[in-house]
Amino acid sequence: MFEAGLILEGGAERGIFTAGALDALMEKGMEFSYVCGVSAGACNAVDYVSRQIGRSKRVMIPSEKKYRMAKVSAIPSQHAYIDMDMLFDDFPNRVFPFDYETYFASPIRCEMVVTNALTGCAEYMDSRDDRQAMMDICRASSSIPIFTPMAKINGTPYVDGSVSDAIPIVHSLQAGYRKNLVILTRMADYEKTEPGKAIQAIYRAYLRKYPALLRVMLNHHKDYNRQLALLKKWEAEGKVFVLRPEMTPVDRLECRPEKLEPFYQHGYDLMERRMDELIAYLEK
């Protein structure tokens, strides 16, 4: 096991790239002592810690249409565009069983990033003895504002971790992990733009009871771009290893297997291609 961090960005269905990269790592027996996942990256993270090769792919590219993640039918029952009950109850407990026992027994430290809706701050959570609590954290980390309801943990409302800490490399460094593999789901030239006036108006209406969270969301593009700039600087200095797509990513709510399969394979092939380079970085 490498004494290093594995940082997994979110991006909803763009996380299929990460799934491919992690399957390549698991097939080689590559283990990191610390994993930190955000949103879809949190879902990838727990499958990696539970050593379930191919599970993330099966979840994100289900063979049956009724199991596709983005379901308009979820709107009446859950007031959500994404069927969160299917994703965090039906899937792990029945359809694509999650190996809780292996996850709970793993020596790998794992944290999932969530955003406290009351404070707007990032929190880093895990549970190793309660199945429901563990999936509740994963659900909270993936609860995209507006698209899904806020998730409650011990009565506190939470939203997607990417709102407050989309690429938690600084958190990993502060936790003592000096070497890190960061898997992003956007290409190297990507920069986040300021939300348009219409989107800002929606944010203000939707988050009128959560002023701290509203401030974070309105400034999210600035914070994210600062993280990217810092990451690129450290990457150029050889302090961090970054794996990012070299082909145009899929949309975050893409459901078509013919679009998702190539992006999964791209993540797998790219990780395989750079495996020796990664090992040299970790062993340096």
Side-chain angles (χ1 to χ4, degrees), residues 247-262:
M247 65 180 282
T248 302
V250 298
D251 293 334
R252 68 176 178 174
L253 293 180
E254 179 61 68
C255 290
R256 293 167 293 179
E258 65 270 22
K259 296 288 186 179
L260 296 171
E261 285 276 2

Side-chain angles (χ1 to χ4, degrees), residues 113-128:
V113 187
V114 295
T115 302
N116 187 311
L118 302 179
T119 66
C121 296
E123 297 180 17
Y124 308 86
M125 296 184 176
D126 188 22
S127 175
R128 290 296 175 101

Side-chain angles (χ1 to χ4, degrees), residues 106-181:
S106 176
I108 298 172
R109 179 184 175 189
C110 183
E111 290 184 316
M112 293 171 270
V113 187
V114 295
T115 302
N116 187 311
L118 302 179
T119 66
C121 296
E123 297 180 17
Y124 308 86
M125 296 184 176
D126 188 22
S127 175
R128 290 296 175 101
D129 55 11
D130 187 303
R131 295 185 176 198
Q132 187 62 54
M134 177 258 176
M135 276 298 159
D136 285 348
I137 295 168
C138 202
R139 179 174 185 148
S141 184
S142 305
S143 293
I144 306 170
I146 301 174
F147 283 92
T148 66
M150 295 182 182
K152 294 285 185 73
I153 299 177
N154 298 324
T156 301
Y158 288 89
V159 299
D160 198 303
S162 65
V163 171
S164 54
D165 194 1
I167 310 171
I169 178 63
V170 172
H171 178 74
S172 180
L173 290 168
Q174 290 174 339
Y177 300 94
R178 310 317 297 173
K179 292 191 175 183
N180 290 274
L181 164 59

Side-chain angles (χ1 to χ4, degrees), residues 28 55 74 82 87 91 103 122 133 163 172 202 204 214 235 252 255 268:
K28 296 291 186 183
R55 182 179 182 274
I82 299 172
L87 199 57
F91 279 10
Y103 182 82
V163 171
S172 180
I202 292 172
R204 290 190 172 92
L214 175 60
E235 182 184 16
R252 68 176 178 174
C255 290
Y268 183 95

Side-chain angles (χ1 to χ4, degrees), residues 49-250:
V49 175
S50 64
R51 300 174 182 169
Q52 290 182 269
I53 297 173
R55 182 179 182 274
S56 287
K57 182 184 181 184
R58 290 192 295 274
V59 168
M60 299 181 82
I61 317 179
S63 57
E64 297 184 56
K65 288 185 178 180
K66 66 180 180 178
Y67 291 137
R68 290 181 180 176
M69 187 176 72
K71 292 180 64 181
V72 176
S73 60
I75 292 174
S77 61
Q78 300 177 42
H79 303 286
Y81 184 68
I82 299 172
D83 192 334
M84 301 296 274
D85 289 345
M86 181 174 66
L87 199 57
F88 296 103
D89 182 13
D90 294 342
F91 279 10
N93 298 319
R94 287 174 288 280
V95 182
F96 305 110
F98 180 77
D99 188 346
Y100 292 97
E101 286 73 21
T102 298
Y103 182 82
F104 290 158
S106 176
I108 298 172
R109 179 184 175 189
C110 183
E111 290 184 316
M112 293 171 270
V113 187
V114 295
T115 302
N116 187 311
L118 302 179
T119 66
C121 296
E123 297 180 17
Y124 308 86
M125 296 184 176
D126 188 22
S127 175
R128 290 296 175 101
D129 55 11
D130 187 303
R131 295 185 176 198
Q132 187 62 54
M134 177 258 176
M135 276 298 159
D136 285 348
I137 295 168
C138 202
R139 179 174 185 148
S141 184
S142 305
S143 293
I144 306 170
I146 301 174
F147 283 92
T148 66
M150 295 182 182
K152 294 285 185 73
I153 299 177
N154 298 324
T156 301
Y158 288 89
V159 299
D160 198 303
S162 65
V163 171
S164 54
D165 194 1
I167 310 171
I169 178 63
V170 172
H171 178 74
S172 180
L173 290 168
Q174 290 174 339
Y177 300 94
R178 310 317 297 173
K179 292 191 175 183
N180 290 274
L181 164 59
V182 180
I183 301 182
L184 303 180
T185 59
R186 297 258 197 197
M187 298 175 72
D189 60 352
Y190 176 78
E191 283 194 355
K192 194 172 287 292
T193 57
E194 182 179 6
K197 293 188 183 299
I199 298 298
Q200 291 187 35
I202 292 172
Y203 286 170
R204 290 190 172 92
Y206 181 77
L207 299 172
R208 60 188 181 278
K209 296 181 181 179
Y210 303 92
L213 180 59
L214 175 60
R215 285 194 296 272
V216 172
M217 288 194 64
L218 291 175
N219 289 289
H220 174 60
H221 63 291
K222 297 177 184 177
D223 295 334
Y224 182 81
N225 290 337
R226 277 195 289 266
Q227 285 184 313
L228 280 182
L230 195 59
L231 194 61
K232 287 178 180 179
K233 176 179 180 295
W234 287 339
E235 182 184 16
E237 295 170 349
K239 295 177 180 177
V240 64
F241 192 100
V242 181
L243 190 80
R244 55 170 68 82
E246 296 177 358
M247 65 180 282
T248 302
V250 298

